Amino acid sequence: QVQVVESGGGEVQAGGSLRLSCTTSGLKFDDYDMGWFRQAPGKEREGISSITWGGGSTYYADSVKGRFTISRDNDKSTLYLQMNKLSPEDTAMYYCAAADARIGGVWPRTEDDYVYWGQGTQVTVSS
């Protein structure tokens, strides 16, 4: 059984930082491209960052570029998202997802490519 579990969310003041983690089990982590998504109340889910199975390529949405950094540790089957210079606009539920890298496709992956999803971790940024 595949499990994807996010952690590290919380409440922080504007300008602060948080580091999200996503641990996986039940899958061969380095067979999967990984992505971070977020959804704010009343808004559609947004893909904000992704990383290839080996970490060689990354993607950032314009909304987070220069402030967020995605990384992965394949030995620990864990994905990270370092978030700096947070603003109230970053307030959302953050989700981790996995896409099978053995299946061809475009880069960055589309949301439909992601087959395993976590339950999310809430990030709240106060002004």
Side-chain angles (χ1 to χ4, degrees):
Q1 182 179 357
V2 175
Q3 288 191 315
V4 179
V5 180
E6 304 92 339
S7 62
E11 186 165 351
V12 64
Q13 289 192 330
S17 298
L18 282 174
R19 188 195 197 200
L20 305 184
S21 298
C22 169
T23 57
T24 68
S25 61
L27 57 79
K28 190 173 183 296
F29 188 67
D30 57 5
D31 277 345
Y32 287 80
D33 299 332
M34 300 296 294
W36 286 102
F37 296 78
R38 69 184 181 186
Q39 188 167 22
K43 294 189 177 181
E44 291 189 355
R45 188 162 58 191
E46 172 190 19
I48 58 172
S49 186
S50 51
I51 187 168
T52 50
W53 64 273
S57 293
T58 58
Y59 160 79
Y60 297 96
D62 288 343
S63 57
V64 305
K65 196 173 295 182
R67 300 186 299 123
F68 291 10
T69 302
I70 192 170
S71 62
R72 64 189 295 160
D73 185 334
N74 285 350
D75 290 336
K76 296 182 178 178
S77 299
T78 302
L79 177 73
Y80 303 100
L81 186 69
Q82 178 66 44
M83 305 187 296
N84 298 329
K85 300 180 181 178
L86 286 162
S87 72
E89 289 70 34
D90 296 314
T91 294
M93 184 71 78
Y94 283 70
Y95 299 91
C96 168
D100 194 336
R102 297 164 295 180
I103 298 174
V106 300
W107 183 259
R109 293 280 189 179
T110 66
E111 188 169 323
D112 288 345
D113 290 337
Y114 291 89
V115 293
Y116 299 116
W117 292 79
Q119 294 298 306
T121 186
Q122 177 67 38
V123 171
T124 302
V125 185
S126 58
S127 57

